Amino acid sequence: MIAATHLHAIIIHFPIALLIVGFLSEISSFFIKKDFFKTAAFYLLILGALGTITAYITGGYAGEGIEEGPLLEPMNLHKQAAFLILWGSIITVLFKSAVFYFKFHKPWAKGIGFLLYMLLVIAVGRTGYLGGQLVFSHGAGVEIALPDFNN
């Protein structure tokens, strides 16, 4: 059976990649006037948001049991940052879906959608950094296998 910490580590990279590539596609749509880039950005945002929900849930299981000690503060920072991404991705998807569904093509609406997406990707970078610090600086979720010295 896969441990919760390993499952979270497997899943988390998908929403990170989907949201970043989606945002790059959004930027490309400003310079390359093809519907493909805007459509790809929208669907990658939706898939990234779904992945964010899954990653948040698995992260909750991975962090269970840490109620004190040196990991508590960095874990709480990472958890708070992940919470912002969870709701930021949902809000961004809802906003961009409403703009798309109601065919609301005002420049300010596009600007707000772009700003939300940009802030989301920045938050993803920060949360990924904090998660990396948990693993590489604090050893969270790392299993140390010592050699069997009896043989």
Side-chain angles (χ1 to χ4, degrees):
M1 178 117 181
I2 297 176
T5 53
H6 295 145
L7 185 60
H8 180 64
I10 291 168
I11 289 174
I12 191 58
H13 295 93
F14 290 99
I16 291 171
L18 291 167
L19 292 171
I20 291 172
V21 171
F23 182 66
L24 292 174
S25 183
E26 179 95 356
I27 291 171
S28 297
S29 73
F30 291 122
F31 301 106
I32 304 169
K33 302 293 183 191
K34 295 193 185 240
D35 287 337
F36 168 79
F37 291 103
K38 186 147 291 293
T39 303
F42 180 66
Y43 287 114
L44 288 168
L45 172 63
I46 292 171
L47 291 172
L50 292 172
T52 298
I53 294 166
T54 307
Y56 186 80
I57 292 169
T58 60
Y61 287 118
E64 277 185 352
I66 299 175
E67 298 171 8
E68 59 184 52
L71 283 179
L72 182 61
E73 186 178 341
M75 182 67 75
N76 283 339
L77 283 173
H78 181 62
K79 191 175 186 180
Q80 291 166 0
F83 187 76
L84 287 175
I85 290 176
L86 173 69
W87 285 104
S89 64
I90 291 169
I91 290 167
T92 305
V93 165
L94 290 175
F95 182 82
K96 288 182 89 53
S97 296
V99 168
F100 176 77
Y101 181 76
F102 294 115
K103 296 176 180 26
F104 195 73
H105 300 294
K106 300 287 184 190
W108 65 266
K110 290 180 181 182
I112 290 174
F114 180 81
L115 182 65
L116 286 171
Y117 213 158
M118 182 181 70
L119 292 173
L120 179 61
V121 169
I122 291 169
V124 164
R126 179 178 180 267
T127 305
Y129 173 77
L130 293 171
Q133 289 294 311
L134 277 170
V135 174
F136 297 111
S137 294
H138 301 286
V142 175
E143 295 177 18
I144 299 174
L146 295 175
D148 184 11
F149 294 110
N150 294 329
N151 290 330

